[in-house]
Amino acid sequence: MRKENSTNTLNKQQMEKDCGMSYTLSTIGGRWKPAILWRLTHGKMRYSALRDSIPQVTERMLVLQLRELEKDGLIKRLVYAEVPPRVEYELTEKGNSLKAVLNSLSDWGAKNRIS
Amino acid sequence: MRKENSTNTLNKQQMEKDCGMSYTLSTIGGRWKPAILWRLTHGKMRYSALRDSIPQVTERMLVLQLRELEKDGLIKRLVYAEVPPRVEYELTEKGNSLKAVLNSLSDWGAKNRIS
DNA sequence: CGGTATCCTGCGTGATACTG
DNA sequence: CAGTATCACGCAGGATACCG
């Protein structure tokens, strides 16, 4: 393994930047998380509405990614004790603070795809 | 497969947003691309300097991701006909325009990690 | 110095069927 | 309605050795 330049201050600043970026990418990464988060920025949604608004996702993947987003504190899962059952998802404050990031991703993409 | 709501205008707007986000994530995604891009925002760098500033990366992965970044038009590869050989990498205009995105990723991460 | 060439592994994702 | 349970698999990523 190569030698680390552990005393270089610039390196430490870079490591912090790297850390921030990879933390963010790991929480919003995953095939369906950006789409889910984006939809929830418009407000609370039921499970079925979320599912129908992302036609390509399988229920397995939708639920898996919802659970991860919940675990990471980005969304809240609201269960109503009714028949038939009703479950809604909404962004937490932390989740809402992602809106700027999602917009920046979306804007850059809009300007630069179309080779 | 479930039915698509292909006439819903809101859905189309969402699809555009999704597209932009996933295009961006696919170009800056990958384990080492954010780190590489971030370093190059400080200016031109030699291959060996890049490699040494990211101690954990293997040469295989470094080169693979450099090639993809080049193919996507984010960086330029400058080869000097010297002995010993010298290769430098620098951001293109398109690559430079990513700086805002990278900063937004890094800033959100810095504020929100540390559970 | 700046890379390639092989081989290998895990994990993220998908298809499909079933359930409280 | 809102999920689970299984099975399967490709491919991003890593280890290691070698090259012009």
Side-chain angles (χ1 to χ4, degrees):
Chain A
M1 188 141 286
R2 281 171 291 98
K3 181 183 160 195
E4 289 194 34
N5 183 354
S6 56
T7 55
N8 187 319
T9 328
L10 186 54
N11 262 2
K12 287 185 182 166
Q13 288 173 9
Q14 287 170 340
M15 294 308 242
E16 305 250 336
K17 285 287 181 177
D18 290 350
C19 258
M21 289 189 294
S22 64
Y23 173 79
T24 307
L25 287 170
S26 77
T27 82
I28 70 169
R31 181 70 185 81
W32 304 105
K33 284 183 188 173
I36 294 169
L37 289 168
W38 181 257
R39 276 151 186 83
L40 292 178
T41 60
H42 301 328
K44 203 185 298 186
M45 285 182 80
R46 299 185 64 146
Y47 171 81
S48 50
L50 214 38
R51 185 193 56 203
D52 295 347
S53 79
I54 311 175
Q56 313 90 328
V57 77
T58 63
E59 297 201 89
R60 172 186 143 80
M61 284 316 298
L62 181 57
V63 173
L64 276 177
Q65 310 233 5
L66 284 169
R67 296 288 178 269
E68 281 179 28
L69 291 170
E70 194 187 0
K71 204 184 69 189
D72 289 340
L74 301 181
I75 65 175
K76 268 187 295 238
R77 180 166 178 270
L78 308 168
V79 186
Y80 300 87
E82 301 175 358
V83 186
R86 181 162 126 248
V87 177
E88 296 185 328
Y89 293 91
E90 69 177 352
L91 293 182
T92 60
E93 268 311 300
K94 187 177 178 184
N96 247 300
S97 71
L98 267 172
K99 198 167 179 178
V101 177
L102 297 175
N103 264 314
S104 121
L105 290 172
S106 167
D107 290 350
W108 191 89
K111 280 174 197 132
N112 291 281
R113 73 188 145 103
I114 309 163
S115 63
Chain B
M1 187 142 288
R2 281 170 295 95
K3 181 182 160 192
E4 289 194 34
N5 183 354
S6 55
T7 55
N8 187 320
T9 327
L10 185 54
N11 262 3
K12 286 184 185 170
Q13 288 173 6
Q14 287 170 339
M15 293 307 242
E16 305 250 338
K17 285 285 180 180
D18 291 350
C19 257
M21 289 190 292
S22 62
Y23 173 78
T24 306
L25 288 170
S26 76
T27 82
I28 70 169
R31 180 71 185 80
W32 304 104
K33 285 182 189 174
I36 295 169
L37 289 168
W38 180 257
R39 277 152 185 80
L40 292 179
T41 60
H42 301 329
K44 204 185 299 188
M45 285 181 80
R46 298 185 66 147
Y47 172 80
S48 50
L50 214 39
R51 185 194 55 204
D52 295 347
S53 79
I54 311 176
Q56 313 90 331
V57 77
T58 63
E59 297 202 90
R60 172 187 142 81
M61 284 315 297
L62 181 57
V63 173
L64 276 177
Q65 308 231 23
L66 284 170
R67 297 287 179 270
E68 282 179 30
L69 291 170
E70 195 187 359
K71 204 185 68 188
D72 289 340
L74 301 181
I75 65 176
K76 268 187 295 238
R77 182 166 177 269
L78 308 167
V79 187
Y80 300 88
E82 302 176 358
V83 186
R86 181 161 126 248
V87 176
E88 297 185 328
Y89 292 91
E90 69 177 352
L91 293 182
T92 60
E93 268 312 300
K94 186 176 178 182
N96 246 300
S97 71
L98 266 173
K99 199 167 179 177
V101 177
L102 297 174
N103 264 314
S104 122
L105 290 172
S106 168
D107 290 351
W108 190 89
K111 279 175 198 133
N112 290 281
R113 70 188 149 103
I114 309 161
S115 63

